Amino acid sequence: PPPKIYILYHSRVPYAALCKTFERVEAITKRIEILELTTNLFRTVIELTPDSLLETLYLCINRLCPDYEGLELGIGESLLLKAIAESTGRSMAQIKADYKDSGDLGTVAKVLAFLKDGIEYDFLNSRSAQKTLFAAKPLTVPQVFSTLKEIAQITGTSVGVLRWGFIRVYRSQAKKMGKIKGLLVACRENEAKYLIRSLEGKLRVGLAEKTVLSALAHAVVLTRPAQVEEELAKAVGIVSYWLFFPAIEFNEQPHSELPCYNLIVPALLKDSIDKLKEVCKMTPGIPLKPMLAHPTKQLSEILDRFEGHTFTCEYKYDGERAQIHRLEDGRMTVYSRNSENMSNKYPDIMEKLGSVGVWFFMWVKTGTTSFVIDCEAVAWDHEKKSILPFQVLSTRKRKDVKEEEITVQVCVFAFDCLYLNGESLLHKPFAMRRQLLHDSFQEIEGQFAFARFQDTSNIEDIQTFLETSIQENCEGLMVKMYDGDESSYEPSKRSRNWLKVKKDYLKGIGDSLDLVVIGAFYGRGKRTSVYGAYLLACYNPDREEYQTITKIGTGFSEQALQQHYGFFKDHVIDCPKRYYVFGEGTKPDVWLEPVQVWEVLAADLSISPKYQAAVGHVSVGRLLVDSAKGISLRFPRFIRIRDDKKPEEATSSEQVAEFYQRQANNEQSNGNGGVDDEFDY
DNA sequence: AATGGCTGCCC
DNA sequence: ATTCTGC
DNA sequence: GCAGAATGGGCAGCCATT
């Protein structure tokens, strides 16, 4: 149907219009209706106030700018709680209690009465509030957006010396808080709710980037600025998803190749649709959203998926995704998985890749000018010539890194080439991209390597290759479509053309532990009114203690969440048992009696600064483990209740220590395992 | 100058 | 990251 | 199968406090 116009003619989009859409979207779950509502919002904006389209869109996806510009609000839950408390004149305790009950900070801000000039205004009762409270002008989308941006730009503590020697301290947190409060008092009806959620960084209305992008495409097809195409509007009186399909397609390519709304939106408004594809082309220097892989539960899934196709297996390295760009003019950038600019973290990579010198030491072969390559940066032990764990990589400094001061060396494992010498390779088959990658770069030991691969279609070979990858400190395998149309590079897609196989996905392998539930955390959002996460412990029979090991918050079906809540609410205790061993920073919202054992799966064990499992038993060369550190789990998830086990029969501290030791031994001894044939493919 | 809490970003 | 769920 | 929303450990860096 034609847009329901609830925006009157304004020079700017009222923030209320946006919030109204959010409210409607939040109330429904049907995807097509959500799409329709969002499309109508954008159509209205295009028609009435096209200059606000970009800001409207950014507020819909809850971002301030393209990811690679790296501007962040720097506001979290604590600051918001404080801001809400101060704005409402209520105590933190009250705010926290409300938060617990509603599971939504937005609701907390919306429901509470605001105190202003000694008069209490009730936001729910808009009639009584209207007269006085609404003295402030209604918020507009550009205004809210620019204030959010200002908040993000506030930084640092500065000390200014005023006349007569008075010292004034500007605190960035206080300034941010001031801006938030300023917005809050101007909010009406539901605006505070969505404003707070924007500040939290999660809109949680069931509308996120993919749908917003699709809605944008629909809107610009149906509505051109200043010339509503009535006929077209009538034609879609019957809502059919497939009628819109061309619109989706036409916008998807531009966005996947040039994921920057600052560039796309003006082009959408100005240019014809045909021209858009020309304007929005892959551009070195602007990061692509990396292609992602589907998890695989069994090796047989690989054969099912790739039956009748050629595919190839690669090691899955446990490091940090690095999309490396080099432009013709020599400028270079390293981007992370989430398109953050990591160039300052990797001066060593920049130096090596950018350098001209003796060909023997260069990663880039002569003749290779511009490129975009997809890689994994992995911590590297130069003495042992082996891969170090992710936890080591994560200790690398991130800002203003000087090459001389680098403590954690990195080896870059390249596995794809998306752009080469002025030409996009996104639509080329993977076989060709890999060939070009190998033709254009060369391996330098301990610095740059190609991801190890094996082309095979035999399940036993895959099994063996998987085991070898794990021996060599990798996470497992990536299995990729090798040839044909389906092997192209699909930015931002979790494509079925790439599968990942990790040992912990496979049934019966991986670290499974039986742990005791000793605490719980209130759920939020769709987990309001049940516990959203739990605190788990292992058992130390010698000391008769339960030692905390991890929180857990995934793997539960909705039914399981209900069931657990129902069960544990009768086992809540006022304070922790004296035989609970826990760190100050890991206290749950409620403590529980030790009455149930859960089977839990994890990818790895880690040295923990917070948890206490096997404390005093942890020793490994590289990670300086002091006696106060315990063990925790990487990627913990709930598998099932172990009703057959009593709490005292849970995995013991000693076993936890053993698991860790085994893992560490593997990391230390097998680094070199069977790699003397490094160039043997 | 040291410490600890908060935040954002890796996985 | 992993996992679950409505469409 | 997609898109969205729940939730995990742990690191550096920033800021406020002491």
Side-chain angles (χ1 to χ4, degrees):
Chain A
K4 296 157 193 144
I5 307 264
Y6 42 77
I7 300 178
L8 296 176
Y9 281 83
H10 280 276
S11 57
R12 294 160 197 282
V13 185
Y15 187 53
L18 182 69
C19 292
K20 190 78 195 166
T21 302
F22 289 160
E23 190 169 43
R24 291 177 176 176
V25 167
E26 191 174 12
I28 55 178
T29 50
K30 293 188 167 49
R31 307 302 316 166
I32 292 170
E33 284 179 27
I34 291 175
L35 179 62
E36 192 194 340
L37 286 168
T38 316
T39 304
N40 286 348
L41 171 73
F42 289 149
R43 289 185 71 182
T44 316
V45 172
I46 290 170
E47 189 190 336
L48 302 178
T49 55
D51 290 346
S52 298
L53 183 59
L54 186 61
E55 286 100 328
T56 309
L57 183 137
Y58 269 128
L59 287 179
C60 285
I61 56 174
N62 220 355
R63 286 221 309 266
L64 300 171
C65 56
D67 293 320
Y68 55 85
E69 288 181 11
L71 187 62
E72 292 304 327
L73 280 169
I75 289 175
E77 190 183 292
S78 327
L79 206 63
L80 280 178
L81 283 168
K82 233 184 188 176
I84 296 171
E86 285 186 19
S87 303
T88 59
R90 298 220 175 178
S91 72
M92 284 296 276
Q94 277 174 306
I95 301 292
K96 283 181 179 165
D98 284 350
Y99 186 26
K100 175 207 150 188
D101 290 339
S102 69
D104 173 27
L105 270 182
T107 308
V108 175
K110 181 191 171 193
V111 168
L112 291 179
F114 277 52
L115 280 169
K116 195 180 144 205
D117 304 330
I119 309 163
E120 196 169 36
Y121 300 104
D122 184 346
F123 266 60
L124 288 180
N125 188 348
S126 52
R127 225 166 30 136
S128 69
Q130 234 161 7
K131 292 167 203 157
T132 35
L133 177 69
F134 290 178
K137 279 189 179 171
L139 293 169
T140 67
V141 162
Q143 180 194 357
V144 171
F145 181 74
S146 64
T147 309
L148 293 184
K149 243 179 153 156
E150 287 167 24
I151 289 173
Q153 278 152 354
I154 297 172
T155 161
T157 310
S158 60
V159 179
V161 180
L162 306 179
R163 268 182 298 177
W164 305 304
F166 284 105
I167 287 175
R168 182 150 177 197
V169 181
Y170 302 89
R171 294 172 207 281
S172 60
Q173 302 298 82
K175 275 202 221 164
K176 288 187 178 193
M177 203 113 97
K179 295 262 184 202
I180 295 171
K181 287 193 227 164
L183 284 175
L184 274 177
V185 296
C187 282
R188 301 172 180 188
E189 312 208 357
N190 64 6
E191 290 175 353
K193 174 175 173 182
Y194 296 108
L195 176 70
I196 289 291
R197 289 204 194 161
S198 289
L199 291 163
E200 265 187 295
K202 278 184 181 175
L203 234 28
R204 292 201 353 252
V205 294
L207 174 68
E209 183 159 15
K210 291 280 161 58
T211 309
V212 169
L213 180 61
S214 180
L216 179 66
H218 288 70
V220 293
V221 169
L222 298 172
T223 308
R224 306 300 297 169
Q227 49 165 74
V228 187
E229 294 169 38
E230 291 288 342
E231 291 310 307
L232 199 46
K234 278 179 203 152
V236 293
I238 308 151
V239 180
S240 160
Y241 182 78
W242 297 109
L243 197 61
F244 291 120
F245 191 70
I248 301 166
E249 225 184 5
F250 107 79
N251 208 17
E252 188 160 299
Q253 190 197 326
H255 182 262
S256 72
E257 295 203 17
L258 192 74
C260 173
Y261 295 108
N262 296 357
L263 302 173
I264 291 177
V265 168
L268 278 173
L269 293 175
K270 187 162 87 27
D271 296 325
S272 73
I273 286 161
D274 297 335
K275 207 174 159 205
L276 191 69
K277 280 193 180 176
E278 278 171 46
V279 176
C280 301
K281 272 247 177 300
M282 180 182 180
T283 312
I286 296 184
L288 298 159
K289 304 284 174 194
M291 185 166 168
L292 306 169
H294 261 296
T296 305
K297 301 275 167 230
Q298 299 179 61
L299 284 186
S300 61
E301 269 183 57
I302 294 170
L303 298 188
D304 294 345
R305 169 65 188 106
F306 291 116
E307 192 173 17
H309 297 90
T310 49
F311 59 92
T312 178
C313 303
E314 279 170 359
Y315 279 9
K316 185 179 191 304
Y317 294 90
D318 191 7
E320 183 177 25
R321 192 96 176 237
Q323 190 181 88
I324 307 175
H325 291 233
R326 187 166 98 178
L327 281 58
E328 303 279 348
D329 63 12
R331 275 182 296 162
M332 292 190 41
T333 328
V334 180
Y335 291 107
S336 75
R337 183 197 139 116
N338 291 317
S339 303
E340 299 285 330
N341 189 332
M342 291 280 144
S343 306
N344 291 331
K345 179 175 175 179
Y346 293 116
D348 40 352
I349 295 180
M350 306 286 284
E351 166 70 24
K352 302 275 173 41
L353 257 184
S355 72
V356 281
V358 187
W359 69 268
F360 190 79
F361 298 108
M362 288 168 58
W363 301 5
V364 188
K365 285 187 190 167
T366 319
T368 305
T369 55
S370 58
F371 58 80
V372 176
I373 53 176
D374 206 355
C375 314
E376 191 82 3
V378 181
W380 183 258
D381 185 329
H382 275 281
E383 282 177 26
K384 297 206 174 88
K385 299 188 202 274
S386 66
I387 289 169
L388 290 164
F390 176 78
Q391 213 178 359
V392 173
L393 179 69
S394 70
T395 63
R396 238 180 109 116
K397 295 271 174 289
R398 293 203 271 255
K399 294 197 162 171
D400 302 321
V401 179
K402 302 272 183 303
E403 219 187 321
E404 321 82 69
E405 297 164 4
I406 291 172
T407 50
V408 177
Q409 298 298 329
V410 171
C411 183
V412 172
F413 289 88
F415 55 83
D416 212 326
C417 183
L418 317 184
Y419 188 95
L420 188 65
N421 299 335
E423 196 192 342
S424 163
L425 303 182
L426 293 178
H427 303 286
K428 308 285 188 212
F430 181 46
M432 182 191 283
R433 300 203 305 276
R434 178 192 275 168
Q435 187 61 51
L436 288 169
L437 175 72
H438 285 240
D439 290 347
S440 312
F441 296 82
Q442 66 176 350
E443 297 194 316
I444 304 290
E445 194 193 70
Q447 295 182 12
F448 185 86
F450 300 120
R452 225 166 186 322
F453 68 90
Q454 182 175 306
D455 303 328
T456 175
S457 52
N458 170 319
I459 199 141
E460 286 80 30
D461 290 349
I462 298 175
Q463 176 80 43
T464 311
F465 197 51
L466 172 65
E467 283 161 14
T468 325
S469 78
I470 288 159
Q471 283 292 304
E472 291 178 29
N473 301 340
C474 289
E475 285 189 295
L477 297 183
M478 300 289 292
V479 188
K480 298 178 179 178
M481 190 74 80
Y482 192 50
D483 223 329
D485 285 349
E486 289 180 275
S487 73
S488 66
Y489 193 92
E490 304 173 272
S492 85
K493 276 226 174 82
R494 193 170 292 280
S495 165
R496 289 172 66 248
N497 300 326
W498 282 14
L499 303 180
K500 56 177 167 179
V501 191
K502 294 167 68 166
K503 69 173 190 306
D504 54 298
Y505 298 159
L506 304 177
K507 250 175 79 194
I509 321 183
D511 293 306
S512 161
L513 294 86
D514 299 316
L515 301 168
V516 185
V517 186
I518 65 166
F521 300 84
Y522 304 125
R524 296 165 195 184
K526 61 186 182 183
R527 292 203 183 159
T528 306
S529 77
V530 295
Y531 295 129
Y534 290 85
L535 180 63
L536 303 180
C538 63
Y539 185 60
N540 184 327
D542 299 335
R543 304 176 60 94
E544 298 185 348
E545 284 172 352
Y546 291 99
Q547 303 172 325
T548 56
I549 185 167
T550 187
K551 277 168 76 177
I552 190 162
T554 193
F556 310 111
S557 64
E558 276 179 9
Q559 196 199 344
L561 285 167
Q562 287 292 339
Q563 183 193 343
H564 293 153
Y565 181 74
F567 177 79
F568 282 110
K569 70 180 182 343
D570 302 327
H571 294 284
V572 173
I573 48 183
D574 290 337
C575 55
K577 302 281 188 192
R578 55 181 167 66
Y579 48 85
Y580 285 181
V581 186
F582 56 94
E584 196 54 29
T586 57
K587 286 184 183 168
D589 292 334
V590 298
W591 290 99
L592 303 171
E593 291 179 309
V595 287
Q596 196 170 81
V597 177
W598 287 355
E599 182 182 346
V600 163
L601 196 62
D604 278 310
L605 291 92
S606 55
I607 300 288
S608 172
K610 295 193 328 192
Y611 294 101
Q612 305 292 311
V615 69
H617 288 79
V618 197
S619 63
V620 170
R622 174 91 199 199
L623 291 165
L624 303 169
V625 183
D626 64 57
S627 58
K629 285 186 174 172
I631 285 171
S632 190
L633 307 182
R634 189 183 189 197
F635 312 143
R637 58 259 199 205
F638 171 80
I639 301 297
R640 63 187 174 117
I641 299 173
R642 288 293 303 257
D643 269 333
D644 55 321
K645 277 201 168 185
K646 285 187 283 206
E648 304 83 43
E649 296 170 318
T651 302
S652 69
S653 311
E654 214 169 326
Q655 285 172 299
V656 172
E658 244 173 67
F659 284 154
Y660 186 81
Q661 214 58 58
R662 200 200 314 155
Q663 175 185 310
N665 287 344
N666 183 61
E667 280 159 8
Q668 301 235 305
S669 67
N670 290 324
N672 242 347
V675 207
D676 44 7
D677 54 344
E678 248 179 328
F679 300 92
D680 184 13
Y681 35 83

